[in-house]
Amino acid sequence: RKEVEQDPGPFNVPEGATVAFNCTYSNSASQSFFWYRQDCRKEPKLLMSVYSSGNEDGRFTAQLNRASQYISLLIRDSKLSDSATYLCVVNGFTGGGNKLTFGTGTQLKVEL
Amino acid sequence: GAGVSQSPSNKVTEKGKDVELRCDPISGHTALYWYRQSLGQGLEFLIYFQGNSAPDKSGLPSDRFSAERTGGSVSTLTIQRTQQEDSAVYLCASSKDGGSYNEQFFGPGTRLTVL
């Protein structure tokens, strides 16, 4: 079983749609969680951290369920510029430091 | 301010040759990470440096891979006797320190092709 699993997509959605991505992780000791965005042939960039209470940043909402080891990202009113690959990232702090484990990503294509 | 920089941006080499990849982290960042991303694959952790502590090398795939960080700043990833399966984009990231919620800032990567 992969440490971090995501549906690879692609998710093709019309502009203005709401889309949700899910992610599961296997290490119950994982301490911190993130969504990164990666555009084609570019480096990943932090979209948002994910906290236990859930958090929202504009059109983006992230949720964490530790009991189910599940993370989600909701994008409302999607824009063409949201087209990218969304990476679910889990930090399995090893005591000696951080070790980010990345999912393989979910591809989003927002269309006119 | 300046972000993480990496050089070269592209490297083509022949199987069996050694290569060195360089990373300049953001000034003042004490934590530095190396990852690689193969075509269609997720990012794979390679090695992590934090300050003067011994690096976490747990992700290095073989003893042909090594990395060092001189003076707590610039890092070099060395791959000896390259193999075709080493072809990937090698990404470097830095963060302010090793805190678990600190954002990691990525460089543009070095695309390595082993012929």
Side-chain angles (χ1 to χ4, degrees), chain A residues 32 36 38 43 50 91 97-98, chain B residues 37 48 98 100-101 103-104 107:
Chain A
S32 50
Y36 274 71
Q38 187 171 26
E43 70 272 21
V50 187
N91 189 348
N98 294 293
Chain B
Q37 188 170 29
Y48 161 61
S100 60
Y101 263 108
E103 178 178 355
Q104 293 190 17

Side-chain angles (χ1 to χ4, degrees), chain A residues 31-34 36 38 41-44 46 49-51 66 87 91 93-94 96-100 102-104, chain B residues 33 35 37 40-43 45 48 50 56 58 91 95 97-108 111:
Chain A
Q31 296 200 347
S32 50
F33 309 89
F34 310 87
Y36 274 71
Q38 187 171 26
R41 300 179 77 87
K42 297 285 190 180
E43 70 272 21
L46 179 67
S49 303
V50 187
Y51 302 108
R66 284 188 184 267
L87 304 171
N91 189 348
F93 191 77
T94 63
N98 294 293
K99 177 184 173 182
L100 290 187
F102 286 75
T104 52
Chain B
Y33 312 79
Y35 300 88
Q37 188 170 29
Q41 302 295 313
L43 273 77
F45 167 81
Y48 161 61
Q50 171 53 44
D56 176 355
S58 60
L91 290 157
S95 64
D97 58 38
S100 60
Y101 263 108
N102 280 339
E103 178 178 355
Q104 293 190 17
F105 295 85
F106 283 81
R111 184 173 299 274

